[in-house]
Amino acid sequence: MSSTPIRHTALDALHRSLGATMTDFAGWDMPLRYGSERDEHNAVRERAGLFDLSHMGEITVSGPEAAALLNHALVGNLASVGVGRARYTMICQEDGGILDDLIVYRLDDTEFMVVANASNAQVVLDALVERSAGFDAVVRDDRDAYALIAVQGPRSPGILASLTDADLDGLKYYAGLPGTVAGVPALIARTGYTGEDGFELFVKPEHAVELWQALTKAGEGVGLVPCGLSCRDTLRLEAGMPLYGHELSTSLTPFDAGLGRVVKFDKEGDFVGRAALREAAEHANHEPPRVLVGLIAEGRRVPRAGYAVVAEGRVIGEVTSGAPSPTLGKPIAMAYVDAAHAAPGTPGVGVDIRGSHEPYEVVALPFYKRQK
């Protein structure tokens, strides 16, 4: 049992006043749902949803050699990221195992913000501090400096535009710009974890309630609803987005996860895990590891993480995430399966659900892609 006290976001009292069902997530008391998970999910797909993501881990890296430090510490080429842009990347162990997947924002020439998953924020912070030795750069824990509110869904640009004069039309996907939203200073980022267009707003914790209420009011006429972690999980699953601890872990390299593209061997200087990752890349070329695929149920039974994927009476893989899909109207899963069974439409594939081999269709990820 951990004796660490549970943490609360700046919006905690507001969630409770809205009747949220709260849950412990990575040491934070977070809203799981406010009402119906399906209704919240569908609101994001069709209109807009409002999320508290203040449990995410913000780490600032600054100084003349901030870019060089991140190029050494992470697998991506962060030095090539333009000011105002963001990049999806990973931090790996020396053996190539994934410590976390990250989004890194370049705030100016010598300052970056690294956003880690809540469950790994301390691990990432410790690794960056350790790897900063010898670099003229400072790593700062800024987890308490920010609240993070996301508005996601097709109506989100209109909702946000009514509260800011920032150039949202010019804000590309995976970019961020400083601005003011409802009078509150914010870093406005256009990223997301739902498969929809949307924005993340990094603000000071003392401004979080005011901003949430302003967004709620602005979204009243267009069907905006508050959304919990539960629908965030089904949204990201439909969008084929990996979740650390499910599709990503220290026992997998980015190449095992089908995300080898984030590893940049051509960048300047050495980086942690380079040799192991080079070997993993070559191995993946000759003999592909298990491949991450989508599975759609033919029946109604829901697969869960850890369930065996079977074919011809033997285990060929394992489910990493599974849930009912409100958009498809059927249970879906992501799973790592042997390459021989990974092609879409491969016949005879099932999931062992409590001893019963339920038939599943193998499909390419993602399950859902929004119309541009």
Side-chain angles (χ1 to χ4, degrees), residues 160-168 177 179-182 188:
L160 196 57
S162 72
L163 297 173
T164 183
D165 56 7
D167 180 17
L168 299 183
L177 85 168
T180 304
V181 182
I188 305 167

PDB file of all heavy atoms in Angstrom, residues 160-168 177 179-182 188:
ATOM      1  N   LEU A 160     -14.042  27.710 -28.837  1.00  0.00           N
ATOM      2  CA  LEU A 160     -12.838  28.412 -28.392  1.00  0.00           C
ATOM      3  C   LEU A 160     -12.717  29.780 -29.065  1.00  0.00           C
ATOM      4  O   LEU A 160     -12.319  30.763 -28.425  1.00  0.00           O
ATOM      5  CB  LEU A 160     -11.596  27.558 -28.674  1.00  0.00           C
ATOM      6  CG  LEU A 160     -10.324  27.965 -27.949  1.00  0.00           C
ATOM      7  CD1 LEU A 160     -10.519  27.977 -26.440  1.00  0.00           C
ATOM      8  CD2 LEU A 160      -9.171  27.032 -28.309  1.00  0.00           C
ATOM      9  N   ALA A 161     -13.083  29.837 -30.341  1.00  0.00           N
ATOM     10  CA  ALA A 161     -12.973  31.103 -31.086  1.00  0.00           C
ATOM     11  C   ALA A 161     -13.834  32.200 -30.457  1.00  0.00           C
ATOM     12  O   ALA A 161     -13.499  33.387 -30.549  1.00  0.00           O
ATOM     13  CB  ALA A 161     -13.373  30.886 -32.543  1.00  0.00           C
ATOM     14  N   SER A 162     -14.918  31.803 -29.795  1.00  0.00           N
ATOM     15  CA  SER A 162     -15.791  32.808 -29.170  1.00  0.00           C
ATOM     16  C   SER A 162     -15.167  33.402 -27.906  1.00  0.00           C
ATOM     17  O   SER A 162     -15.678  34.384 -27.364  1.00  0.00           O
ATOM     18  CB  SER A 162     -17.157  32.188 -28.841  1.00  0.00           C
ATOM     19  OG  SER A 162     -17.051  31.284 -27.741  1.00  0.00           O
ATOM     20  N   LEU A 163     -14.071  32.815 -27.438  1.00  0.00           N
ATOM     21  CA  LEU A 163     -13.444  33.245 -26.177  1.00  0.00           C
ATOM     22  C   LEU A 163     -12.032  33.785 -26.349  1.00  0.00           C
ATOM     23  O   LEU A 163     -11.394  34.168 -25.370  1.00  0.00           O
ATOM     24  CB  LEU A 163     -13.406  32.065 -25.196  1.00  0.00           C
ATOM     25  CG  LEU A 163     -14.742  31.497 -24.744  1.00  0.00           C
ATOM     26  CD1 LEU A 163     -14.518  30.232 -23.922  1.00  0.00           C
ATOM     27  CD2 LEU A 163     -15.522  32.521 -23.937  1.00  0.00           C
ATOM     28  N   THR A 164     -11.516  33.780 -27.573  1.00  0.00           N
ATOM     29  CA  THR A 164     -10.123  34.209 -27.768  1.00  0.00           C
ATOM     30  C   THR A 164      -9.971  34.916 -29.102  1.00  0.00           C
ATOM     31  O   THR A 164     -10.722  34.626 -30.055  1.00  0.00           O
ATOM     32  CB  THR A 164      -9.151  33.012 -27.706  1.00  0.00           C
ATOM     33  OG1 THR A 164      -7.802  33.497 -27.838  1.00  0.00           O
ATOM     34  CG2 THR A 164      -9.396  31.994 -28.816  1.00  0.00           C
ATOM     35  N   ASP A 165      -8.992  35.826 -29.172  1.00  0.00           N
ATOM     36  CA  ASP A 165      -8.686  36.425 -30.481  1.00  0.00           C
ATOM     37  C   ASP A 165      -7.407  35.808 -31.052  1.00  0.00           C
ATOM     38  O   ASP A 165      -6.848  36.286 -32.033  1.00  0.00           O
ATOM     39  CB  ASP A 165      -8.569  37.953 -30.375  1.00  0.00           C
ATOM     40  CG  ASP A 165      -7.530  38.400 -29.346  1.00  0.00           C
ATOM     41  OD1 ASP A 165      -6.805  37.531 -28.821  1.00  0.00           O
ATOM     42  OD2 ASP A 165      -7.445  39.615 -29.080  1.00  0.00           O
ATOM     43  N   ALA A 166      -6.939  34.718 -30.430  1.00  0.00           N
ATOM     44  CA  ALA A 166      -5.766  34.003 -30.966  1.00  0.00           C
ATOM     45  C   ALA A 166      -6.114  33.453 -32.350  1.00  0.00           C
ATOM     46  O   ALA A 166      -7.280  33.159 -32.653  1.00  0.00           O
ATOM     47  CB  ALA A 166      -5.375  32.868 -30.035  1.00  0.00           C
ATOM     48  N   ASP A 167      -5.103  33.312 -33.192  1.00  0.00           N
ATOM     49  CA  ASP A 167      -5.311  32.841 -34.575  1.00  0.00           C
ATOM     50  C   ASP A 167      -5.489  31.324 -34.594  1.00  0.00           C
ATOM     51  O   ASP A 167      -4.563  30.575 -34.901  1.00  0.00           O
ATOM     52  CB  ASP A 167      -4.118  33.257 -35.438  1.00  0.00           C
ATOM     53  CG  ASP A 167      -4.264  32.788 -36.885  1.00  0.00           C
ATOM     54  OD1 ASP A 167      -5.404  32.447 -37.290  1.00  0.00           O
ATOM     55  OD2 ASP A 167      -3.247  32.758 -37.604  1.00  0.00           O
ATOM     56  N   LEU A 168      -6.697  30.879 -34.277  1.00  0.00           N
ATOM     57  CA  LEU A 168      -6.960  29.429 -34.253  1.00  0.00           C
ATOM     58  C   LEU A 168      -6.913  28.831 -35.657  1.00  0.00           C
ATOM     59  O   LEU A 168      -6.475  27.690 -35.837  1.00  0.00           O
ATOM     60  CB  LEU A 168      -8.318  29.141 -33.607  1.00  0.00           C
ATOM     61  CG  LEU A 168      -8.502  29.588 -32.152  1.00  0.00           C
ATOM     62  CD1 LEU A 168      -9.875  29.163 -31.652  1.00  0.00           C
ATOM     63  CD2 LEU A 168      -7.411  29.030 -31.251  1.00  0.00           C
ATOM     64  N   LEU A 177       0.379  28.003 -29.266  1.00  0.00           N
ATOM     65  CA  LEU A 177       0.717  29.425 -29.235  1.00  0.00           C
ATOM     66  C   LEU A 177       0.189  30.050 -27.955  1.00  0.00           C
ATOM     67  O   LEU A 177      -0.844  29.616 -27.432  1.00  0.00           O
ATOM     68  CB  LEU A 177       0.180  30.162 -30.469  1.00  0.00           C
ATOM     69  CG  LEU A 177      -1.264  30.688 -30.504  1.00  0.00           C
ATOM     70  CD1 LEU A 177      -1.437  31.619 -31.689  1.00  0.00           C
ATOM     71  CD2 LEU A 177      -2.280  29.569 -30.622  1.00  0.00           C
ATOM     72  N   GLY A 179      -1.735  32.720 -25.769  1.00  0.00           N
ATOM     73  CA  GLY A 179      -2.875  33.579 -26.050  1.00  0.00           C
ATOM     74  C   GLY A 179      -3.665  33.801 -24.783  1.00  0.00           C
ATOM     75  O   GLY A 179      -3.248  33.428 -23.683  1.00  0.00           O
ATOM     76  N   THR A 180      -4.820  34.428 -24.944  1.00  0.00           N
ATOM     77  CA  THR A 180      -5.711  34.667 -23.814  1.00  0.00           C
ATOM     78  C   THR A 180      -7.058  34.047 -24.147  1.00  0.00           C
ATOM     79  O   THR A 180      -7.596  34.286 -25.229  1.00  0.00           O
ATOM     80  CB  THR A 180      -5.867  36.180 -23.553  1.00  0.00           C
ATOM     81  OG1 THR A 180      -4.560  36.730 -23.354  1.00  0.00           O
ATOM     82  CG2 THR A 180      -6.700  36.448 -22.331  1.00  0.00           C
ATOM     83  N   VAL A 181      -7.580  33.231 -23.250  1.00  0.00           N
ATOM     84  CA  VAL A 181      -8.882  32.595 -23.442  1.00  0.00           C
ATOM     85  C   VAL A 181      -9.785  33.028 -22.293  1.00  0.00           C
ATOM     86  O   VAL A 181      -9.459  32.782 -21.128  1.00  0.00           O
ATOM     87  CB  VAL A 181      -8.759  31.056 -23.473  1.00  0.00           C
ATOM     88  CG1 VAL A 181     -10.126  30.418 -23.727  1.00  0.00           C
ATOM     89  CG2 VAL A 181      -7.765  30.600 -24.534  1.00  0.00           C
ATOM     90  N   ALA A 182     -10.885  33.701 -22.627  1.00  0.00           N
ATOM     91  CA  ALA A 182     -11.803  34.218 -21.603  1.00  0.00           C
ATOM     92  C   ALA A 182     -11.048  35.059 -20.565  1.00  0.00           C
ATOM     93  O   ALA A 182     -11.310  34.972 -19.365  1.00  0.00           O
ATOM     94  CB  ALA A 182     -12.548  33.063 -20.930  1.00  0.00           C
ATOM     95  N   ILE A 188      -2.172  27.692 -25.851  1.00  0.00           N
ATOM     96  CA  ILE A 188      -3.233  27.032 -26.612  1.00  0.00           C
ATOM     97  C   ILE A 188      -2.572  26.035 -27.562  1.00  0.00           C
ATOM     98  O   ILE A 188      -1.824  26.437 -28.458  1.00  0.00           O
ATOM     99  CB  ILE A 188      -4.051  28.058 -27.426  1.00  0.00           C
ATOM    100  CG1 ILE A 188      -4.597  29.155 -26.507  1.00  0.00           C
ATOM    101  CG2 ILE A 188      -5.178  27.369 -28.188  1.00  0.00           C
ATOM    102  CD1 ILE A 188      -5.157  30.371 -27.272  1.00  0.00           C
TER     103      ILE A 188
END
